[in-house]
Amino acid sequence: MVEEESVRVVRCGGSELNFRRAVFSADSKYIFCVSGDFVKVHSTATEECVHILQGHRNLVTGIQLNPNNHLQLYSCSFDGTVKLWDYVDGILIKTFVVGLKLHALFTLPRAEDSVFVIINKEKPDVFQLVSVKLPKSSSQEIEAKELSFVLDYINQSPKCIAFGNEGEYVAAVRDFYLSVYFFKKKTTSRFTLSSSRNKKHAKNNFTCVACHPKEDCIATGHKDGKIRLWRNFDDDKKYTYTCLHWHHDMVMDLAFSVTGTSLLSGGRESVLVEWRDATEKNKEFLPRLGATIEHISVSPAGDLFCTSHSDNKIIVIHRNLEASAVIQGLVKDSNIFTGLMVDPRTKALVLNGKPGHLQFYSLQHDKQLYNLDIIQQEYINDSGLIQIELTKAAFGCYGNWLATVEQRQEKETELELQMKLWMYNKKTQGFVLNTKVNMPHEDHITALCFCNAEKFENPTLVTSSKDGHFKVWILTDDSDIYKKAVGWTCDFVGSYHKYQATNCCFSEDGSLLAVSFEEIVTIWDSETWELKCTFCQRAGKIRHLCFGRLTCSKYLLGATENGILCCWNLLSCALEWSAKLNVRVMEPDPNSENIAAISQSSVGSDLFVFKPSEPRPLYIQKNISREEVQWGVFVPRDVPESFTSEAYQWLNRSQFYFLTKSQTLLTFSTKSPEEKLTPTSKQLLAEESLPTTPFYFILGKHREQQDGKINEAFESELVQLPLTENIPAISELLHTPAHVLPSASFLCSKFVSSLLLSKETKSSEEIPEDVDMEEGKESDDSDEENDFTEKIQDTNNTDLGEDLLHQLSKSEEKELRKFRKVDYSWITVL
Amino acid sequence: MAAGGRGVADPLSPAGVPCAFSPLNQAYFALASADGQLRVWETANNRLHQEYVPSAHLSGTCTCLAWAPARLQAKESPQRKKRKSEAIGPSNQIDLLALGTAVGSILLYSTVKGELHSKLISGGHDNKVNCIQWHQDNGCLYSCSDDKHIVEWNTQTLTLMVLWYWRGDNSSVSSLCISPDGKMLLSAGRTIKLWVLETKEIYRHFTGHATPVSSLVFTTVRPPSESQPFDGVTGLYFLSGAVHDRLLNVWQVRSENKEKNAVMSFTVTDEPVYIDLTLSENKEEPVKLAVVCKDGQVHLFEHILNGYCKKPLTSNCTIQIVTPGKGKKSTPKPIPILAAGFCSDKMSLLLVYGNWFQPTIERVALSSKEPHMCLVRDISNCWAPKVETAITKVRTPVMNSEAKVLVPGVPGHHAAIKPPPSQTEEVESKRKLGENEVSIEERLGALDIDTKKEKDDLPQTNSFPVLLTQGLESNDFEMLNKVLQTRNLNLIKRTVLRMPLHAVIPLLQELTKRLQGHPNSAVLMVQWLKCVLTVHASYLSTLPDLVPQLGTLYQLMESRVKTFQKLSHLHGKLILLITQVTASEKSKGMTCPEQKAKLVYEEERGLNECFPFLIYFYQDNWDEDEEDKESEKDEDVDEEEEEEEDAEEKDEENGEDRDVASEKELNGDSDLDPENESEEE
């Protein structure tokens, strides 16, 4: 039973990146963003994730750099803790337990030992800004219960709080109020705008606030798209404000640049607006950012901006308004209509992405490959517009064909449908539109499926629709004298007593087509398009339909809305078995007979894996997700696993992925967490040594020459150099995190004493490099050797006694130097 | 794994540029081009991931590169009570890339951070670095150089230090390879030497290459026979390729030091520049080998290594890539393949081809049957660097005017009406044959008729019937235009009357084609259609395959009049409004409003009452027709009416003056729709 436990549900694709503002590191090399329970550290240059800081037990709600140490990061979470991280190495340094649900976090350089958090007290909708004193202690986990109240009745979003002018005041907005609290005076002033009762100002609610970093100036964003700049707000009467208006919809976020010369704003228009000098005339735009701007942040160095977007991406933008990098998660903006598919060519997961796009998501590398623009129309970001939606897509013939259906419905009766058939062009390695069908059906298309049998020469597509028909489309030769071409034409239209066609499905060999018409399943011969037989169970409308595969290809499975799963035998044309199961998702495994069904109950979703030939399931996993599971798919593995245990043999050839209602992509992992954790210890830690700069070349040239000479000396023979790195004590000292080490004062005395010892060895090492120098070797010698050198000097003098005055003077000089040195040493001794 | 290319022999030829796939799942492809830049590409979507220019890229161009073994990062945390799901992050992150340069320094580049990690200079080479190999376990790095030495580097401790520095050969050392167990090192200059890493002593010598060895790689991880105890290296095979050599030699490490010659060899077309292989894990599984040659071809070998083979083996499959030759002028040109790597499933191959500036990376499925694969690829559009797509990650598939467009009514949008399925296929085919013959006869006959006519009355040569038949036969667009674009109703009638019978069906088909066009031209065609159907109804009804012949015409009409009911409703309402307005205007000067109100009310009711009656009438009528299959004529007449009114309706949308007349027709039109629906069965 130990093995059973090891099949666990794991998340892929990451969580939302756009929940809170991203934060830049002080040197703009890294960008931090919250992602579910984690904080992700990305490189701004390469978009890659460098570290994942994990330790919080609930949603992370705020991150800020430690203003006193730029290599540390504070984070707060709904689990009631504030954690301090070392982001360079990805180590948790300290945990401060506050014990209340924390909604946002702010830090101030002035308030060294405290941070500001938003908490929720008493009533569900009343939020407070409080400062939390972080006690100094050496322990890892510290209780921080000393809260002091700052502001009451504020909005829970961190966008509605801003600290200004180096922390002299804090501004908060909610509904129609702007409240400013001055830390020095400890007073609060409140400014009101006319409320919604006045029709003229129907939508001037505050949405966000930003404070000028240097001056007393507050910028507020409003629901009607206006930006107000408030000045002189320290006086309740004399305050003024000016308006900037470009946005036509709500201002989502505001940010001042580091110097405060320009203001950045963004909203649903997905245009980043830079207001220079806070005037309406000087505007710069960065348009077409793809989706609604949710957050804007500015790097402390001032060279980068970044915008978080509603389609789960972060764009890093240069100071000159040029996008430089995109950190893209699984797009979670739109509803998933197409379901999950696997592109046979790239082995990527395909689903709805950006509006009107199909996103290709690589599961092997766990990142998005690209978005394929299917609709190819400019997306207009406006609320209340009815957009063209990509509703169905299917791959056929080993990825050579892609069929997409898009629809737009303004009113009940006015439906616009379009089906596009794309051919993969091998020469250019991309999809090319082959056939466009306007209004392929008179009503919504409910299912789309290719015949994926080995009939390469004759691709077949079936569409079923609510208008009661299903259409068979085949590829025909459209060549004429001008060009060679192929195109799709309708070959057959079928219907059954004017019922709505709800599902369609080809058998594995492509010989049979099953189409469900509400409660009835019809089987058609794909050669002649004759109706072969019908099955009817009177158990509600058919929701899912699929044929068995391989040895189970004689079975047809149908799941109904009334919670019955039926299995029909196609040879005897009779019901083989049925089970009571409220099936939400039913997916056949392309590599085996297995079929996965996910059922929905009030507690959660359960997974059943079974073979159509036997009604007993192979594997049951209860409660895989609390939410409703919407889609699922089997993805063939590149390298088959070899599980011997019967319980999860079904995972050998393929992996099962499923998508919940909140669009989290989940899968099953068989590796135990320990197994995945062990490689960390083996992690390759290559040491960083920075390359030399030109500055170094000027200053360090001399030293380098000396090094070179050492090397020359050792070059001729095979030598293992004496390495301090090989001493285990030193390497241990250097590899241990700083917070685990004993205090510096304790180490210092030992260090100093060790230096005293090492001096001898050092001097002895230095001898060979001074050999070349003519006479100056003594000058470098240390005091302890004075007597010795004096003797040498004496012998020198006797040997070279006949020499000239010049020589004498030199020796005299050296004598003098020695005396000087002696003097110094004498002083130090004193 | 694979030995990177050896130096840059010729800056113009792309083959031999140092390049490598990242280990494990080959997510990235690193390529150091001749201009000294390092580019890392994402293999999955062929996107430039990053670009790095070393500060000394002009003096010390990159001569070889090697990815560090995968850096495994734990991303999963143990399952917690509260949240059922946990995240898997990028589980296998590959980070460090070692670059050897022409001046002897080695750079470590971090692909995650996008910056130089460290630079190994002190105590290293003072000449061109030829090959770099990472030790798979302990993070050591081995490099060899033109200065005849091999250096072992330690990258894990605080300072990057030279651990060992020893003379590897009498000439320059060109290639290195570490044994699968990590205890031995192969080095090669002209001779191949096997070193024990711990003591740095020579264990074995292998000789056989005349030129410097350019690539070395171990091909097996286990000895072929399991009888004797395995000491980690004895019995293993390795492969070597040399400069200007078209043979790849396979050597076996033996326990006795006798055999020094190659066990077997593979033959290729040119000097190998990039080698990748799949390691065979057991005896039965063959070793798969992909060799990229300097001439830009890939040779695939599949062989179970077991002992001697005198003859050099030839490749199982050769892959070439060429440009499409457009037209007759340009001949297809070969596209050089830069590198090839096996995917983890061992069944497909990642190919990198094109120029090093903008290579294309493609995953090609391997089929063992074909001895020669020639892939036609168009890389002309790859030349422009796509900066924009790199940022937005959006790909736009091609939508050009060549795409076929199906709108309701166009043949192909709806299934073609086929002859009733009761007839067997054999009969059909026979009939078709017969039909063809008949048509030829007919044509001959038609020619006769034409000549006769010409003889009979010469002045009528350019008369409309003759022009029409000639136009239909020759499919002459201008001639047909001349005839069909006439507006004279009488002329149309006369022409249709006089035209030969065999031309009726072609004319109908031509008319159908033209009806699919713009509605304005369709107005004219409707007149023609009406005439044809009234005059030749009897002939048409005799045709056995009329339903398929006129199916498209019928579908077209059906789709065209689909919205007609709605339109006529609108029309009716508008008329109602207008009459009310005019009536009220009149009433200002005239009488009391009661009378007018009555009038308007009656009109509306009259409209509504009209419908059911007519629907019933027509449906009954149609049902009868369906029963006795000869009702084609009626159908045609109906269609004709329908179309005619349709056209008229369109006319009247512009002219508002003829309100009353259109109202009359309205009743007639709207009842046609139910009948159409019934016919669909």
Side-chain angles (χ1 to χ4, degrees), chain A residues 83-111:
Chain A
K83 286 181 194 268
L84 183 65
W85 307 88
D86 174 357
Y87 64 79
V88 181
D89 300 323
I91 303 167
L92 174 65
I93 300 171
K94 266 177 190 166
T95 305
F96 301 96
V97 182
V98 182
L100 294 162
K101 217 174 175 185
L102 308 175
H103 290 266
L105 177 84
F106 305 94
T107 55
L108 268 189
R110 270 183 349 130

Side-chain angles (χ1 to χ4, degrees), chain A residues 8-12 29-30 37-38 43 45-52 54 57-58 323-326 328 345-347 354 357 364-374 376 420 422 426-429 431-440 442 469 471 473 476 478 487-493 498 623 638-639 666-667 669 673 676-677 679-680 683-691 711 715 718-721 723 725 734-735, chain B residues 25-28 42-45 47 49-50 68-69 71-80 82-91 93 96 108 111-119 122-123 126 134 138-139 155-166 200 324 344-345 353 360 362-363 376-379 381 390-400 402-408 411-416 418 562 680-681:
Chain A
R8 299 160 309 122
V9 179
V10 292
R11 205 160 9 132
C12 16
K29 266 189 184 173
Y30 301 106
D37 296 1
F38 312 120
S43 159
T46 65
E47 311 163 11
E48 293 269 336
C49 178
V50 181
H51 289 295
I52 294 179
Q54 42 187 324
R57 305 217 165 143
N58 207 333
S324 70
V326 182
Q328 173 83 65
R345 192 168 289 277
T346 57
K347 308 270 190 290
K354 296 162 76 144
H357 292 60
Q364 286 89 3
H365 311 138
D366 207 18
K367 68 175 173 192
Q368 198 193 49
L369 294 182
Y370 52 86
N371 275 292
L372 193 69
D373 192 355
I374 297 294
Q376 302 200 1
K420 285 175 183 164
W422 308 85
K426 279 183 186 166
K427 284 180 192 168
T428 52
Q429 299 281 305
F431 281 103
V432 177
L433 184 68
N434 180 270
T435 306
K436 188 163 78 176
V437 188
N438 280 325
M439 291 303 287
E442 267 123 75
H469 296 292
K471 283 189 178 179
W473 307 84
T476 50
D478 272 0
W488 290 80
T489 50
C490 180
D491 186 44
F492 180 71
V493 181
K498 303 207 171 173
N623 208 0
D638 261 359
V639 184
L666 302 165
T667 187
S669 170
K676 285 250 165 172
L677 277 172
T680 347
Q683 198 181 103
L684 179 70
L685 279 170
E687 193 43 53
E688 195 161 357
S689 82
L690 288 169
N711 294 333
E715 199 179 32
L718 187 84
V719 168
Q720 187 170 18
L721 291 171
L723 289 176
E725 286 73 29
L734 292 168
H735 282 273
Chain B
N25 50 15
Q26 288 148 325
Y28 300 108
E42 285 173 29
T43 54
N45 55 358
R47 172 176 175 254
H49 181 246
Q50 50 189 292
R71 186 186 80 172
L72 296 160
Q73 271 195 338
K75 295 294 175 198
E76 280 188 65
S77 54
Q79 193 163 9
R80 281 174 240 106
K82 200 166 179 191
R83 291 178 77 91
K84 285 285 172 195
S85 55
E86 47 198 282
I88 354 173
S91 55
Q93 253 188 330
L96 283 183
L108 294 185
T111 52
V112 169
K113 291 177 186 166
E115 57 191 30
L116 194 64
H117 188 80
S118 43
K119 195 168 179 179
S122 56
D126 50 13
W134 287 85
N138 59 16
T155 56
Q156 289 208 291
T157 46
L158 269 175
T159 46
L160 290 150
M161 284 306 291
V162 179
L163 290 181
W164 288 87
Y165 182 87
W166 77 93
K200 311 288 184 288
S344 48
D345 60 354
Y353 54 85
T360 312
E362 190 190 336
R363 194 176 162 138
V376 181
R377 295 289 180 264
D378 187 4
I379 56 160
N381 56 349
I391 291 292
T392 57
K393 291 196 177 180
V394 171
R395 278 196 190 179
T396 313
V398 183
M399 261 166 107
N400 50 20
E402 279 172 31
K404 184 178 174 181
V405 178
L406 294 179
V407 291
H413 186 271
H414 207 269
K418 284 173 187 166
K562 197 188 282 165
E680 241 175 62
E681 302 290 318

Side-chain angles (χ1 to χ4, degrees), chain A residues 627-644:
Chain A
E627 294 172 288
E628 190 186 314
V629 176
Q630 283 192 318
W631 304 101
V633 73
F634 271 103
V635 180
R637 284 183 197 272
D638 261 359
V639 184
E641 301 264 349
S642 50
F643 300 118
T644 44

Side-chain angles (χ1 to χ4, degrees), chain B residues 208-209 237-241 245-252 261-268 289 291 301 303 305 307-315:
Chain B
H209 281 290
Y237 291 95
F238 66 88
L239 192 80
S240 68
D245 198 345
R246 289 190 203 168
L247 283 180
L248 285 168
N249 285 337
V250 180
W251 313 79
Q252 192 178 22
N261 292 330
V263 178
M264 56 186 287
S265 56
F266 297 110
T267 172
V268 290
L289 187 68
V291 183
F301 298 91
H303 190 71
L305 294 168
Y308 282 102
C309 182
K310 276 182 188 170
K311 264 191 180 174
L313 292 169
T314 51
S315 63

Side-chain angles (χ1 to χ4, degrees), chain B residues 308-518:
Chain B
Y308 282 102
C309 182
K310 276 182 188 170
K311 264 191 180 174
L313 292 169
T314 51
S315 63
N316 295 19
C317 177
T318 309
I319 302 174
Q320 268 184 312
I321 297 177
V322 291
T323 57
K326 274 172 197 160
K328 285 169 187 174
K329 286 171 193 170
S330 64
T331 49
K333 283 176 192 163
I335 301 170
I337 298 172
L338 303 178
F342 284 100
C343 297
S344 48
D345 60 354
K346 298 184 180 180
M347 289 309 292
S348 47
L349 196 66
L350 275 174
L351 288 182
V352 183
Y353 54 85
N355 53 338
W356 46 257
F357 178 66
Q358 187 89 20
T360 312
I361 304 166
E362 190 190 336
R363 194 176 162 138
V364 178
L366 295 179
S367 60
S368 52
K369 286 159 196 165
E370 289 172 68
H372 193 90
M373 280 168 81
C374 190
L375 309 170
V376 181
R377 295 289 180 264
D378 187 4
I379 56 160
S380 53
N381 56 349
C382 294
W383 276 92
K386 292 166 272 187
V387 182
E388 195 133 303
T389 52
I391 291 292
T392 57
K393 291 196 177 180
V394 171
R395 278 196 190 179
T396 313
V398 183
M399 261 166 107
N400 50 20
S401 54
E402 279 172 31
K404 184 178 174 181
V405 178
L406 294 179
V407 291
V410 166
H413 186 271
H414 207 269
I417 295 171
K418 284 173 187 166
S422 57
Q423 289 164 316
T424 53
E425 283 181 29
E426 286 176 37
V427 175
E428 251 178 67
S429 61
K430 272 180 188 173
R431 190 160 50 87
K432 270 183 184 169
L433 270 172
E435 193 184 24
N436 275 340
E437 283 166 23
V438 168
S439 71
I440 292 163
E441 277 178 24
E442 268 183 340
R443 269 186 201 171
L444 287 167
L447 277 173
D448 290 342
I449 291 162
D450 286 343
T451 46
K452 272 177 195 170
K453 271 191 179 174
E454 277 175 87
K455 279 170 189 172
D456 284 351
D457 32 13
L458 276 167
Q460 276 192 356
T461 36
N462 61 346
S463 71
F464 268 44
V466 178
L467 271 179
L468 184 62
T469 34
Q470 280 177 355
L472 284 172
E473 268 162 21
S474 61
N475 224 349
D476 188 339
F477 197 70
E478 280 182 21
M479 211 187 277
L480 282 172
N481 267 354
K482 203 176 172 185
V483 179
L484 291 176
Q485 278 176 354
T486 176
R487 286 176 182 271
N488 190 337
L489 270 178
N490 280 331
L491 188 61
I492 294 173
K493 262 182 196 165
R494 267 183 277 137
T495 317
V496 172
L497 264 173
R498 284 188 195 172
M499 69 185 285
L501 273 183
H502 64 84
V504 170
I505 288 291
L507 176 64
L508 276 176
Q509 277 161 353
E510 179 63 32
L511 288 176
T512 317
K513 216 186 284 170
R514 281 167 183 251
L515 271 171
Q516 284 161 9
H518 197 268

Side-chain angles (χ1 to χ4, degrees), chain B residues 617-633:
Chain B
F617 170 70
Y618 270 91
Q619 255 180 348
D620 289 348
N621 198 10
W622 176 246
D623 287 346
E624 281 169 26
D625 291 350
E626 232 185 15
E627 277 162 23
D628 38 314
K629 285 265 175 180
E630 289 177 354
S631 64
E632 257 74 20
K633 179 188 163 188

